[in-house]
Amino acid sequence: MSKNYFFLFLLAGMLVSGCGPKGSDDKSHLFLAPVDAVKIDTVRSLKVECFLLETVEASFTGYVDMYADTIYYIDSRFCWVFRYDKEGKLIDRKLGMGRGPGEIISGVIHGYARLSDGSWFFVGSTNDGYIFNRHFIQKKSFFFDKGKSNELSYENPQSYTLQYYNLKMKEYAGTLYYNVYAQKKGLDYFSNRVLYYNDMRLFSQMDLATGKVNKMIGRYSPFHDGNKNLKLFCDSYFDIDQQGNFYVTFDADSMVYSYDKDYKARYSTGFQGKKMNTRYPVISTVNDYKQHYYDRDKYGHYSQICYIDETGLMFRSYFRAEYQPYDGLQIYKGAAMIGDVDVPKGFKIIGYTSPYYYGYCGIDEENENITICRFKL
């Protein structure tokens, strides 16, 4: 028997005997019909002001965020945290690589979360987590505890890796949520696209007191069931409000899905963004994926979802296409979309300090600057 025939025979036997990837229950209850979704053109355009953060010596890789009236630039390579006032003036620099007080030994910062008590959570490249207080003094460190099960299952935390290239981390009530994808052979996209889109979980739920991953939650929306060749555009994005409600969207799906703190469906809404190039390439093989890997910016896709607790508004950023002069920003109040407006390329919301909403347009590594934008509603 040739190796190819033996492999097919073995795989068929695994599926029949139940030794292959485990399926799961129906997911339809997670996606409600958008019965209350309406468009109300309250916001038709934005007057956007832009300015640069004060220049610093840094790697110009990492993350930009805002809490209260302070803007943060987290340098992922050098592990520095720069703090700026709301006008972009440098306040100080915290953290940095090392073993001394107020330093971190992760070697790199691959993700972070600001915790509800003002502390910070940082993650390195080996599932190593660190909690620092608001003064950037380390409180504890641990490795993520994903259990020891070797079961080939989408419910097993061991089957997943962090979505490092687009990692979002958010805490609610002592639990850290972050986006993941299945990487184990037999559970990955190219092993079985039907199972992948039907059964893969999207987010890990970790107890920050113990570092234990307790549960895998979230599923791909029904949109993906009929679009199984969209490997290049199957990332998920989420945010959590102060009541623990989730807001979830995907690269190519025009819908937004909201869930309560127990991940029970609240409502669905959403409208296609303007001027989006949605002629997506078909990805059916690993070679297809490699060929088109750097083509994402040629096509329209949603790129962030952000809920502002202070005003009760939800924002969804989207990329139109590289040849379009502007990107788009949708504004929702509950299930109603109250605006779909032009914004600078790469724009994402980072926070609110009355009377301005703040965002940024990416980190320009080549020119070594970071552009902050703000607007009023």
Side-chain angles (χ1 to χ4, degrees):
M1 182 182 293
S2 72
K3 290 183 179 180
N4 289 339
Y5 281 108
F6 176 77
F7 174 77
L8 292 173
F9 176 80
L10 179 62
L11 178 61
M14 289 172 63
L15 293 174
V16 171
S17 65
C19 296
K22 275 191 159 187
S24 56
D25 56 348
D26 178 63
K27 65 177 183 179
S28 60
H29 62 286
L30 294 174
F31 303 101
L32 302 178
V35 292
D36 297 321
V38 294
K39 287 184 181 180
I40 306 171
D41 290 330
T42 305
V43 182
R44 301 195 177 195
S45 64
L46 297 178
K47 183 180 179 181
V48 179
E49 305 172 12
C50 296
F51 58 89
L52 296 178
L53 292 183
E54 188 174 331
T55 301
V56 294
E57 183 180 346
S59 72
F60 289 92
T61 60
Y63 315 92
V64 179
D65 216 329
M66 187 175 195
Y67 299 99
D69 59 355
T70 303
I71 300 170
Y72 294 84
Y73 160 46
I74 301 167
D75 187 318
S76 61
R77 187 175 302 165
F78 296 141
C79 301
W80 288 326
V81 178
F82 296 90
R83 301 195 303 168
Y84 298 85
D85 67 18
K86 60 185 179 181
E87 303 299 326
K89 302 299 182 183
L90 181 67
I91 299 172
D92 57 22
R93 189 187 77 186
K94 299 291 186 179
L95 217 58
M97 284 191 292
R99 297 181 178 274
E103 295 179 328
I104 190 170
I105 62 171
S106 62
V108 66
I109 292 176
H110 274 302
Y112 72 96
R114 184 71 182 269
L115 308 184
S116 55
D117 65 356
S119 299
W120 289 83
F121 176 83
F122 300 102
V123 61
S125 55
T126 58
N127 285 326
D128 46 326
Y130 307 84
I131 297 179
F132 286 74
N133 66 18
R134 66 180 66 229
H135 304 294
F136 292 93
I137 302 301
Q138 184 172 309
K139 296 167 61 177
K140 66 185 296 186
S141 64
F142 54 81
F143 286 96
F144 291 19
D145 179 5
K146 297 193 289 185
K148 299 180 179 179
S149 172
N150 292 319
E151 180 184 26
L152 195 63
S153 165
Y154 284 109
E155 297 180 0
N156 182 4
Q158 287 281 10
S159 303
Y160 295 87
T161 188
L162 282 70
Q163 196 169 295
Y164 284 112
Y165 55 90
N166 185 38
L167 185 59
K168 167 83 174 185
M169 294 185 145
K170 195 71 181 277
E171 178 254 1
Y172 175 74
T175 298
L176 184 73
Y177 298 88
Y178 53 92
N179 48 346
V180 294
Y181 68 98
Q183 64 170 345
K184 281 196 172 182
K185 189 66 176 176
L187 299 176
D188 64 293
Y189 171 87
F190 292 106
S191 293
N192 190 320
R193 277 169 281 172
V194 175
L195 280 179
Y196 187 84
Y197 279 132
N198 189 65
D199 292 342
M200 197 189 85
R201 277 29 175 196
L202 304 175
F203 315 116
S204 285
Q205 177 179 300
M206 184 177 73
D207 184 346
L208 280 171
T210 64
K212 183 174 178 57
V213 179
N214 292 320
K215 195 175 182 182
M216 308 302 300
I217 62 173
R219 307 287 272 279
Y220 274 112
S221 68
F223 168 86
H224 299 85
D225 297 338
N227 294 274
K228 294 185 174 64
N229 292 321
L230 286 182
K231 170 59 178 170
L232 197 64
F233 297 95
C234 62
D235 288 348
S236 58
Y237 307 87
F238 78 101
D239 201 5
I240 305 174
D241 66 22
Q242 290 179 348
Q243 284 70 50
N245 298 313
F246 288 76
Y247 303 89
V248 179
T249 194
F250 301 89
D251 271 335
D253 186 356
S254 64
M255 300 298 294
V256 175
Y257 306 94
S258 181
Y259 305 89
D260 67 15
K261 60 184 177 62
D262 299 314
Y263 215 78
K264 294 180 180 178
R266 298 173 66 220
Y267 64 84
S268 299
T269 187
F271 298 89
Q272 181 73 44
K274 298 177 181 178
K275 304 176 184 177
M276 294 178 70
N277 175 14
T278 58
R279 297 185 296 273
Y280 301 119
V282 172
I283 305 295
S284 55
T285 67
V286 174
N287 286 336
D288 290 339
Y289 185 66
K290 290 179 179 178
Q291 180 182 347
H292 291 283
Y293 182 76
Y294 295 102
D295 288 347
R296 277 178 59 87
D297 288 351
K298 294 180 180 179
Y299 304 92
H301 57 277
Y302 303 97
S303 56
Q304 183 213 30
I305 193 162
C306 180
Y307 187 89
I308 300 296
D309 288 283
E310 293 90 337
T311 60
L313 295 181
M314 176 181 67
F315 295 84
R316 181 168 62 160
S317 302
Y318 64 93
F319 192 87
R320 287 174 174 165
E322 61 182 0
Y323 55 80
Q324 292 285 351
Y326 298 99
D327 281 342
L329 179 70
Q330 294 184 337
I331 308 168
Y332 291 85
K333 189 171 184 62
M337 188 176 76
I338 63 173
D340 188 341
V341 295
D342 293 348
V343 288
K345 300 291 287 184
F347 181 85
K348 294 180 181 179
I349 292 285
I350 58 173
Y352 175 80
T353 295
S354 183
Y356 289 103
Y357 294 88
Y358 283 77
Y360 83 113
C361 299
I363 300 173
D364 189 339
E365 187 175 359
E366 181 179 354
N367 295 304
E368 297 187 341
N369 61 52
I370 300 171
T371 301
I372 301 296
C373 300
R374 65 186 182 187
F375 59 86
K376 298 176 184 178
L377 285 181

